[in-house]
Amino acid sequence: MQYTIGEFSELIGLTPDTLRLYEKYNIVNPIKDPNNGYRYYDDLDVRNLLACRRYRSYDFPLEIAAELTVSPNIERLEDLLKTKSIEIDAEIKRLECIKNQINQTTATIQLAYERDQNNYLSPITTVELTEIYRLIQTNENTLNRDIYPYRYEISKWMDALPDVMYSFKTDIQDHENSTYTWGMAIEFSKMAAHHLVPNDYLEYFPSSKYLKGLYLAPNSEYMSSDVYLPLIEYAKTNGLSYGNFVWGKLISSINIENLICSLIEVYLPIG
């Protein structure tokens, strides 16, 4: 049975424009009436359309879906399906990673309602962290021009989100005059997946044990020793030796009692 393009599009749920596009790829081959130029489709076109749409549902581009529909080759089909399966596994792994980080961020944000009078969140815990590499982007609040020769690498770091953390580091020998830097950081074990490699211009934190705390930093204020002093007090109270710096990562910006704050996870290395 033959159908006009209007009838056919309504019966199969595709627009006339889509049918014309598919015709360019020889997926459908309507018979053209030489008298009026009308296109007429038949049941064989339905079969090709369904086959093509199935391949499109596998997320193949139209060119590949058309190839597999019009000139199918079993070896080619098998290779494409295997490759697509590998791509899907990689995407599932990527989405699982994002999901885990979302869940961790959600749990951390919930702690923001349990802060003390100094904007520190309880409890302070001990954690083991793996190797970290860090790209220093600011000296305090001034952009770090020393990384300009490596500016083409920065886009790779941005593309590595959410595995990349926005982080700070501050020396803690002089609480009154401590300086700090901000930049992107990533675990060494995740670098290869994003085509990142250790370099001399990157800062390195070895695997270590840390005290971890959470701090709400008002966005209207610059970094101060308030960020890490509770960790030092905790270390002293519990007889723990500690390093000469702290580092941390930005978790989220949140509004607490009409005050915009940054929720920061802070780490103090301990011996």
Side-chain angles (χ1 to χ4, degrees):
M1 186 171 178
Q2 293 185 334
Y3 311 90
T4 66
I5 190 170
E7 294 172 323
F8 198 61
S9 68
E10 290 180 353
L11 289 170
I12 63 173
L14 296 175
T15 66
D17 286 343
T18 300
L19 291 175
R20 293 187 186 97
L21 176 63
Y22 280 23
E23 184 179 346
K24 291 180 180 179
Y25 286 92
N26 295 316
I27 298 166
V28 293
N29 293 285
I31 299 170
K32 295 181 181 178
D33 189 324
N35 296 317
N36 55 26
Y38 287 178
R39 291 173 170 83
Y40 291 96
Y41 300 82
D42 62 23
D43 297 329
L44 294 179
D45 290 316
V46 176
R47 181 179 61 188
N48 277 2
L49 281 171
L50 291 176
C52 182
R53 296 293 287 186
R54 182 177 182 84
Y55 292 131
R56 291 286 287 137
S57 73
Y58 295 163
D59 207 26
F60 286 125
L62 182 55
E63 294 84 353
I64 298 297
E67 173 195 341
L68 297 176
T69 301
V70 176
S71 54
N73 177 284
I74 190 168
E75 289 83 7
R76 169 76 166 157
L77 174 60
E78 185 177 14
D79 288 344
L80 286 169
L81 291 175
K82 287 180 178 179
T83 300
K84 179 59 66 176
S85 180
I86 293 172
E87 292 174 354
I88 291 172
D89 284 341
E91 181 66 5
I92 290 172
K93 183 177 180 181
R94 186 185 73 86
L95 292 174
E96 284 290 342
C97 176
I98 293 174
K99 178 183 176 182
N100 289 338
Q101 295 202 28
I102 287 173
N103 290 340
Q104 291 171 13
T105 301
T106 301
T108 302
I109 288 174
Q110 290 172 347
L111 294 174
Y113 299 99
E114 303 172 14
R115 68 192 189 284
D116 62 19
Q117 67 273 17
N118 296 316
N119 280 341
Y120 228 77
L121 314 181
S122 298
I124 292 174
T125 58
T126 302
V127 296
E128 294 272 357
L129 296 183
T130 187
E131 298 171 280
I132 300 287
Y133 279 89
R134 184 168 174 266
L135 177 67
I136 301 173
Q137 294 175 286
T138 76
N139 291 308
E140 296 197 337
N141 298 294
T142 302
L143 287 174
N144 177 20
R145 294 186 179 276
D146 292 340
I147 64 171
Y148 187 77
Y150 316 108
R151 61 193 181 279
Y152 301 111
E153 290 291 310
I154 296 175
S155 61
K156 291 183 181 179
W157 284 74
M158 294 296 289
D159 290 341
L161 287 164
D163 285 335
V164 161
M165 306 165 276
Y166 194 50
S167 67
F168 77 92
K169 178 193 172 186
T170 180
D171 296 325
I172 60 176
Q173 295 97 326
D174 183 353
H175 301 329
E176 298 297 326
N177 299 293
S178 58
T179 59
Y180 57 87
T181 62
W182 282 94
M184 290 182 284
I186 189 171
E187 294 177 7
F188 171 69
S189 61
K190 297 179 179 179
M191 294 182 74
H194 300 288
H195 308 289
L196 298 173
V197 295
N199 280 294
D200 292 340
Y201 61 86
L202 298 177
E203 190 170 28
Y204 174 70
F205 301 151
S207 299
S208 181
K209 184 180 292 186
Y210 292 84
L211 290 180
K212 183 184 81 171
L214 289 168
Y215 180 71
L216 275 176
N219 285 6
S220 58
E221 301 175 6
Y222 290 124
M223 186 77 66
S224 72
S225 58
D226 292 341
V227 172
Y228 59 80
L229 284 178
L231 293 177
I232 292 178
E233 291 301 320
Y234 182 94
K236 290 179 177 178
T237 300
N238 290 275
L240 301 173
S241 61
Y242 56 89
N244 59 6
F245 73 95
V246 296
W247 78 277
K249 61 182 180 181
L250 177 65
I251 301 298
S252 178
S253 293
I254 55 178
N255 187 329
I256 298 291
E257 298 174 357
N258 296 319
L259 181 65
I260 304 300
C261 298
S262 294
L263 182 58
I264 299 173
E265 209 162 70
V266 189
Y267 299 98
L268 172 68
I270 55 176

